[in-house]
Amino acid sequence: MTIKFLTFEPRQRHLPLFIYFPGMDGTGVLFAKQQAQLASQFDVCCLAIGHNSWLGWSELVDRVVGLIDKESADGAREIHLCGESFGACLAMLVAAELPQVKQLISINPASSFARLPLLTLGSFGADFLPQPLYQLSTRVFVNLLIEVDRVEPIDRDNLVQAMLSIDAKVVAWRLKLLREFQIGMAIPHLIGIPTLLIAGECDRLLPSKLEVQIIQRQLPQSKTIFLPYSGHACLLEKDLNLAEII
């Protein structure tokens, strides 16, 4: 059950550590589009969750905290956590365990999943799909994740390949984790952390704009940014620069 950080050369260990938590695919490879712009400000790492991982939330948090401890051995390094969708939920739980987190960035968080009856009900059948049907449904489903005219064809293809890199049973497990996720467990520990909440207003998968508004009301040091033309997988969009937003 491999949990590791993908890093970019040359390392920038003198800069604050920026850790990206990926969406449902868990690969981290899709963040390369944003890494180059962030490299002047941060030492960027991407979390990669193995395609055979069956870890629960608490085990994932423990593994990630252990990886961060290795990257910041003296505990003095400034840490910025950035999570997208599924990864936003994990980033919140990790931030709640790390006093040295300087900033938390949550992009289209999937914390609303358990409150959406249709999505929740539909998620129960994911592990029963035959592989050919799973592959076909994935290629169709990707159109819910992006605004097609804002994403280059190669980036859309990369998203499809990342999603197909995990099988239906692992997807079903991660959907189960989202059904169980309770944001209230993390909120009391995030109150003192400056938090940037980003939502695509054209997100057709989740009510991201409403969700970040709900979270903001509970976090006094938070700020919201709404992207009026962006979909769920907004970091793949050709005109979106996360470094400028931060």
Side-chain angles (χ1 to χ4, degrees):
M1 297 182 184
T2 305
I3 306 291
K4 63 182 181 180
F5 284 156
L6 304 178
T7 58
F8 301 87
E9 298 298 334
R11 293 298 303 273
Q12 307 273 5
R13 296 185 185 277
H14 61 289
L15 295 176
L17 183 63
F18 184 102
I19 304 170
Y20 170 70
F21 293 69
M24 283 286 291
D25 65 279
T27 63
V29 298
L30 299 173
F31 196 67
K33 189 171 183 67
Q34 298 293 335
Q35 184 272 336
Q37 290 84 4
L38 288 163
S40 63
Q41 304 174 51
F42 302 103
D43 182 23
V44 180
C45 296
C46 294
L47 178 68
I49 304 173
H51 67 275
N52 61 340
S53 172
W54 300 91
L55 300 176
W57 287 121
S58 61
E59 296 164 309
L60 284 169
V61 170
D62 288 345
R63 297 284 184 93
V64 175
V65 169
L67 290 173
I68 293 174
D69 286 343
K70 290 179 181 178
E71 288 289 337
S72 182
D74 58 4
R77 199 170 185 196
E78 187 177 289
I79 296 173
H80 298 247
L81 304 183
C82 175
E84 183 178 19
S85 190
F86 176 92
C89 297
L90 180 56
M92 285 188 274
L93 295 176
V94 171
E97 299 292 326
L98 292 174
Q100 65 267 46
V101 172
K102 180 72 173 179
Q103 182 184 38
L104 172 65
I105 303 163
S106 183
I107 303 170
N108 293 328
S111 48
S112 63
F113 186 88
R115 303 194 306 274
L116 302 173
L118 288 178
L119 275 181
T120 302
L121 184 62
S123 69
F124 282 97
D127 56 344
F128 296 109
L129 288 176
Q131 192 63 18
L133 183 56
Y134 169 67
Q135 293 182 353
L136 176 61
S137 62
T138 297
R139 295 180 185 279
V140 173
F141 180 72
V142 76
N143 293 308
L144 284 177
L145 298 179
I146 61 172
E147 288 296 292
V148 176
D149 60 340
R150 294 176 61 82
V151 176
E152 299 284 2
I154 188 171
D155 292 317
R156 182 191 182 282
D157 291 343
N158 289 338
L159 175 58
V160 171
Q161 292 308 310
M163 293 170 65
L164 290 176
S165 69
I166 56 174
D167 67 32
K169 292 188 181 301
V170 176
V171 170
W173 174 254
R174 292 177 187 172
L175 290 173
K176 176 179 179 292
L177 293 182
L178 288 180
R179 291 197 302 269
E180 296 172 350
F181 182 78
Q182 298 292 329
I183 193 171
M185 298 173 63
I187 287 293
H189 305 282
L190 302 177
I191 289 175
I193 300 176
T195 301
L196 180 61
L197 301 161
I198 301 173
E201 293 193 40
C202 293
D203 189 341
R204 294 191 296 276
L205 181 66
L206 296 171
S208 294
K209 182 177 181 179
L210 175 60
E211 184 66 7
V212 300
Q213 290 172 323
I214 292 172
I215 296 172
Q216 184 190 33
R217 289 197 290 269
Q218 301 176 75
L219 298 178
Q221 293 198 53
S222 64
K223 177 181 179 180
T224 57
I225 292 180
F226 300 119
L227 308 175
Y229 308 110
S230 293
H232 188 71
C234 59
L235 295 184
L236 290 177
E237 294 176 1
K238 53 193 173 187
D239 296 322
L240 191 139
N241 187 319
L242 182 60
E244 287 184 358
I245 291 174
I246 294 172

PDB file of all heavy atoms in Angstrom, residues 113-132:
ATOM      1  N   PHE A 113     -20.123  15.323  -0.009  1.00  0.00           N
ATOM      2  CA  PHE A 113     -20.553  14.083  -0.668  1.00  0.00           C
ATOM      3  C   PHE A 113     -21.586  13.323   0.148  1.00  0.00           C
ATOM      4  O   PHE A 113     -22.614  12.876  -0.391  1.00  0.00           O
ATOM      5  CB  PHE A 113     -19.328  13.196  -0.929  1.00  0.00           C
ATOM      6  CG  PHE A 113     -19.630  11.954  -1.721  1.00  0.00           C
ATOM      7  CD1 PHE A 113     -19.598  11.965  -3.101  1.00  0.00           C
ATOM      8  CD2 PHE A 113     -19.940  10.764  -1.078  1.00  0.00           C
ATOM      9  CE1 PHE A 113     -19.876  10.820  -3.836  1.00  0.00           C
ATOM     10  CE2 PHE A 113     -20.220   9.612  -1.800  1.00  0.00           C
ATOM     11  CZ  PHE A 113     -20.187   9.640  -3.181  1.00  0.00           C
ATOM     12  N   ALA A 114     -21.331  13.168   1.450  1.00  0.00           N
ATOM     13  CA  ALA A 114     -22.210  12.353   2.289  1.00  0.00           C
ATOM     14  C   ALA A 114     -23.598  12.957   2.446  1.00  0.00           C
ATOM     15  O   ALA A 114     -24.535  12.263   2.856  1.00  0.00           O
ATOM     16  CB  ALA A 114     -21.578  12.143   3.660  1.00  0.00           C
ATOM     17  N   ARG A 115     -23.751  14.245   2.094  1.00  0.00           N
ATOM     18  CA  ARG A 115     -25.053  14.905   2.231  1.00  0.00           C
ATOM     19  C   ARG A 115     -25.827  14.937   0.919  1.00  0.00           C
ATOM     20  O   ARG A 115     -26.862  15.607   0.829  1.00  0.00           O
ATOM     21  CB  ARG A 115     -24.858  16.346   2.752  1.00  0.00           C
ATOM     22  CG  ARG A 115     -24.108  16.424   4.069  1.00  0.00           C
ATOM     23  CD  ARG A 115     -24.249  17.805   4.706  1.00  0.00           C
ATOM     24  NE  ARG A 115     -23.849  18.871   3.808  1.00  0.00           N
ATOM     25  CZ  ARG A 115     -22.602  19.298   3.670  1.00  0.00           C
ATOM     26  NH1 ARG A 115     -21.626  18.733   4.370  1.00  0.00           N
ATOM     27  NH2 ARG A 115     -22.314  20.281   2.845  1.00  0.00           N
ATOM     28  N   LEU A 116     -25.318  14.248  -0.099  1.00  0.00           N
ATOM     29  CA  LEU A 116     -25.951  14.245  -1.416  1.00  0.00           C
ATOM     30  C   LEU A 116     -26.533  12.861  -1.681  1.00  0.00           C
ATOM     31  O   LEU A 116     -25.810  11.938  -2.087  1.00  0.00           O
ATOM     32  CB  LEU A 116     -24.933  14.616  -2.495  1.00  0.00           C
ATOM     33  CG  LEU A 116     -24.251  15.981  -2.316  1.00  0.00           C
ATOM     34  CD1 LEU A 116     -23.148  16.161  -3.335  1.00  0.00           C
ATOM     35  CD2 LEU A 116     -25.263  17.111  -2.416  1.00  0.00           C
ATOM     36  N   PRO A 117     -27.820  12.657  -1.457  1.00  0.00           N
ATOM     37  CA  PRO A 117     -28.419  11.312  -1.514  1.00  0.00           C
ATOM     38  C   PRO A 117     -28.203  10.585  -2.835  1.00  0.00           C
ATOM     39  O   PRO A 117     -27.904   9.386  -2.834  1.00  0.00           O
ATOM     40  CB  PRO A 117     -29.913  11.582  -1.269  1.00  0.00           C
ATOM     41  CG  PRO A 117     -29.954  12.883  -0.530  1.00  0.00           C
ATOM     42  CD  PRO A 117     -28.798  13.681  -1.054  1.00  0.00           C
ATOM     43  N   LEU A 118     -28.336  11.277  -3.973  1.00  0.00           N
ATOM     44  CA  LEU A 118     -28.205  10.593  -5.257  1.00  0.00           C
ATOM     45  C   LEU A 118     -26.781  10.098  -5.483  1.00  0.00           C
ATOM     46  O   LEU A 118     -26.568   8.961  -5.932  1.00  0.00           O
ATOM     47  CB  LEU A 118     -28.644  11.523  -6.396  1.00  0.00           C
ATOM     48  CG  LEU A 118     -30.148  11.789  -6.496  1.00  0.00           C
ATOM     49  CD1 LEU A 118     -30.438  12.759  -7.645  1.00  0.00           C
ATOM     50  CD2 LEU A 118     -30.923  10.484  -6.693  1.00  0.00           C
ATOM     51  N   LEU A 119     -25.793  10.949  -5.181  1.00  0.00           N
ATOM     52  CA  LEU A 119     -24.402  10.531  -5.329  1.00  0.00           C
ATOM     53  C   LEU A 119     -24.071   9.404  -4.365  1.00  0.00           C
ATOM     54  O   LEU A 119     -23.406   8.429  -4.719  1.00  0.00           O
ATOM     55  CB  LEU A 119     -23.463  11.713  -5.087  1.00  0.00           C
ATOM     56  CG  LEU A 119     -23.161  12.632  -6.267  1.00  0.00           C
ATOM     57  CD1 LEU A 119     -22.189  13.725  -5.853  1.00  0.00           C
ATOM     58  CD2 LEU A 119     -22.600  11.850  -7.447  1.00  0.00           C
ATOM     59  N   THR A 120     -24.527   9.542  -3.132  1.00  0.00           N
ATOM     60  CA  THR A 120     -24.245   8.527  -2.123  1.00  0.00           C
ATOM     61  C   THR A 120     -24.832   7.175  -2.527  1.00  0.00           C
ATOM     62  O   THR A 120     -24.163   6.138  -2.466  1.00  0.00           O
ATOM     63  CB  THR A 120     -24.814   8.956  -0.759  1.00  0.00           C
ATOM     64  OG1 THR A 120     -24.240  10.207  -0.384  1.00  0.00           O
ATOM     65  CG2 THR A 120     -24.498   7.929   0.308  1.00  0.00           C
ATOM     66  N   LEU A 121     -26.081   7.191  -2.969  1.00  0.00           N
ATOM     67  CA  LEU A 121     -26.728   5.956  -3.392  1.00  0.00           C
ATOM     68  C   LEU A 121     -26.018   5.336  -4.590  1.00  0.00           C
ATOM     69  O   LEU A 121     -25.762   4.135  -4.640  1.00  0.00           O
ATOM     70  CB  LEU A 121     -28.200   6.226  -3.714  1.00  0.00           C
ATOM     71  CG  LEU A 121     -29.060   5.012  -4.096  1.00  0.00           C
ATOM     72  CD1 LEU A 121     -29.108   4.023  -2.930  1.00  0.00           C
ATOM     73  CD2 LEU A 121     -30.459   5.463  -4.492  1.00  0.00           C
ATOM     74  N   GLY A 122     -25.686   6.179  -5.566  1.00  0.00           N
ATOM     75  CA  GLY A 122     -25.008   5.681  -6.763  1.00  0.00           C
ATOM     76  C   GLY A 122     -23.635   5.114  -6.484  1.00  0.00           C
ATOM     77  O   GLY A 122     -23.164   4.214  -7.195  1.00  0.00           O
ATOM     78  N   SER A 123     -22.980   5.608  -5.440  1.00  0.00           N
ATOM     79  CA  SER A 123     -21.617   5.167  -5.148  1.00  0.00           C
ATOM     80  C   SER A 123     -21.555   3.719  -4.689  1.00  0.00           C
ATOM     81  O   SER A 123     -20.505   3.081  -4.774  1.00  0.00           O
ATOM     82  CB  SER A 123     -20.996   6.073  -4.081  1.00  0.00           C
ATOM     83  OG  SER A 123     -21.623   5.896  -2.819  1.00  0.00           O
ATOM     84  N   PHE A 124     -22.669   3.175  -4.203  1.00  0.00           N
ATOM     85  CA  PHE A 124     -22.659   1.804  -3.706  1.00  0.00           C
ATOM     86  C   PHE A 124     -22.437   0.777  -4.815  1.00  0.00           C
ATOM     87  O   PHE A 124     -22.003  -0.340  -4.554  1.00  0.00           O
ATOM     88  CB  PHE A 124     -23.969   1.492  -2.974  1.00  0.00           C
ATOM     89  CG  PHE A 124     -24.027   2.048  -1.582  1.00  0.00           C
ATOM     90  CD1 PHE A 124     -24.665   3.252  -1.331  1.00  0.00           C
ATOM     91  CD2 PHE A 124     -23.433   1.366  -0.533  1.00  0.00           C
ATOM     92  CE1 PHE A 124     -24.721   3.767  -0.046  1.00  0.00           C
ATOM     93  CE2 PHE A 124     -23.487   1.880   0.754  1.00  0.00           C
ATOM     94  CZ  PHE A 124     -24.133   3.081   0.996  1.00  0.00           C
ATOM     95  N   GLY A 125     -22.751   1.138  -6.062  1.00  0.00           N
ATOM     96  CA  GLY A 125     -22.650   0.166  -7.139  1.00  0.00           C
ATOM     97  C   GLY A 125     -21.347   0.176  -7.897  1.00  0.00           C
ATOM     98  O   GLY A 125     -21.157  -0.619  -8.819  1.00  0.00           O
ATOM     99  N   ALA A 126     -20.410   1.050  -7.493  1.00  0.00           N
ATOM    100  CA  ALA A 126     -19.191   1.223  -8.284  1.00  0.00           C
ATOM    101  C   ALA A 126     -18.368  -0.057  -8.397  1.00  0.00           C
ATOM    102  O   ALA A 126     -17.804  -0.352  -9.455  1.00  0.00           O
ATOM    103  CB  ALA A 126     -18.335   2.341  -7.674  1.00  0.00           C
ATOM    104  N   ASP A 127     -18.279  -0.836  -7.316  1.00  0.00           N
ATOM    105  CA  ASP A 127     -17.415  -2.009  -7.361  1.00  0.00           C
ATOM    106  C   ASP A 127     -18.043  -3.204  -8.056  1.00  0.00           C
ATOM    107  O   ASP A 127     -17.411  -4.254  -8.199  1.00  0.00           O
ATOM    108  CB  ASP A 127     -16.969  -2.405  -5.948  1.00  0.00           C
ATOM    109  CG  ASP A 127     -18.129  -2.648  -5.009  1.00  0.00           C
ATOM    110  OD1 ASP A 127     -19.237  -2.226  -5.344  1.00  0.00           O
ATOM    111  OD2 ASP A 127     -17.911  -3.249  -3.942  1.00  0.00           O
ATOM    112  N   PHE A 128     -19.284  -3.073  -8.513  1.00  0.00           N
ATOM    113  CA  PHE A 128     -19.941  -4.171  -9.225  1.00  0.00           C
ATOM    114  C   PHE A 128     -19.866  -4.002 -10.739  1.00  0.00           C
ATOM    115  O   PHE A 128     -20.332  -4.869 -11.479  1.00  0.00           O
ATOM    116  CB  PHE A 128     -21.408  -4.285  -8.790  1.00  0.00           C
ATOM    117  CG  PHE A 128     -21.573  -4.643  -7.340  1.00  0.00           C
ATOM    118  CD1 PHE A 128     -22.045  -3.706  -6.441  1.00  0.00           C
ATOM    119  CD2 PHE A 128     -21.245  -5.909  -6.872  1.00  0.00           C
ATOM    120  CE1 PHE A 128     -22.194  -4.026  -5.095  1.00  0.00           C
ATOM    121  CE2 PHE A 128     -21.390  -6.240  -5.533  1.00  0.00           C
ATOM    122  CZ  PHE A 128     -21.865  -5.298  -4.636  1.00  0.00           C
ATOM    123  N   LEU A 129     -19.295  -2.894 -11.196  1.00  0.00           N
ATOM    124  CA  LEU A 129     -19.223  -2.665 -12.638  1.00  0.00           C
ATOM    125  C   LEU A 129     -18.180  -3.568 -13.279  1.00  0.00           C
ATOM    126  O   LEU A 129     -17.046  -3.632 -12.816  1.00  0.00           O
ATOM    127  CB  LEU A 129     -18.851  -1.198 -12.923  1.00  0.00           C
ATOM    128  CG  LEU A 129     -19.916  -0.131 -12.663  1.00  0.00           C
ATOM    129  CD1 LEU A 129     -19.321   1.247 -12.922  1.00  0.00           C
ATOM    130  CD2 LEU A 129     -21.130  -0.344 -13.546  1.00  0.00           C
ATOM    131  N   PRO A 130     -18.525  -4.262 -14.367  1.00  0.00           N
ATOM    132  CA  PRO A 130     -17.498  -4.996 -15.131  1.00  0.00           C
ATOM    133  C   PRO A 130     -16.463  -4.002 -15.662  1.00  0.00           C
ATOM    134  O   PRO A 130     -16.794  -2.843 -15.943  1.00  0.00           O
ATOM    135  CB  PRO A 130     -18.297  -5.637 -16.277  1.00  0.00           C
ATOM    136  CG  PRO A 130     -19.732  -5.572 -15.846  1.00  0.00           C
ATOM    137  CD  PRO A 130     -19.862  -4.385 -14.959  1.00  0.00           C
ATOM    138  N   GLN A 131     -15.228  -4.462 -15.824  1.00  0.00           N
ATOM    139  CA  GLN A 131     -14.156  -3.557 -16.204  1.00  0.00           C
ATOM    140  C   GLN A 131     -14.440  -2.796 -17.504  1.00  0.00           C
ATOM    141  O   GLN A 131     -14.218  -1.580 -17.562  1.00  0.00           O
ATOM    142  CB  GLN A 131     -12.829  -4.318 -16.314  1.00  0.00           C
ATOM    143  CG  GLN A 131     -11.596  -3.436 -16.421  1.00  0.00           C
ATOM    144  CD  GLN A 131     -11.359  -2.571 -15.193  1.00  0.00           C
ATOM    145  OE1 GLN A 131     -11.899  -2.841 -14.126  1.00  0.00           O
ATOM    146  NE2 GLN A 131     -10.563  -1.531 -15.354  1.00  0.00           N
ATOM    147  N   PRO A 132     -14.960  -3.441 -18.558  1.00  0.00           N
ATOM    148  CA  PRO A 132     -15.245  -2.672 -19.785  1.00  0.00           C
ATOM    149  C   PRO A 132     -16.276  -1.572 -19.561  1.00  0.00           C
ATOM    150  O   PRO A 132     -16.137  -0.460 -20.089  1.00  0.00           O
ATOM    151  CB  PRO A 132     -15.778  -3.740 -20.751  1.00  0.00           C
ATOM    152  CG  PRO A 132     -15.213  -5.018 -20.253  1.00  0.00           C
ATOM    153  CD  PRO A 132     -15.187  -4.890 -18.768  1.00  0.00           C
TER     154      PRO A 132
END
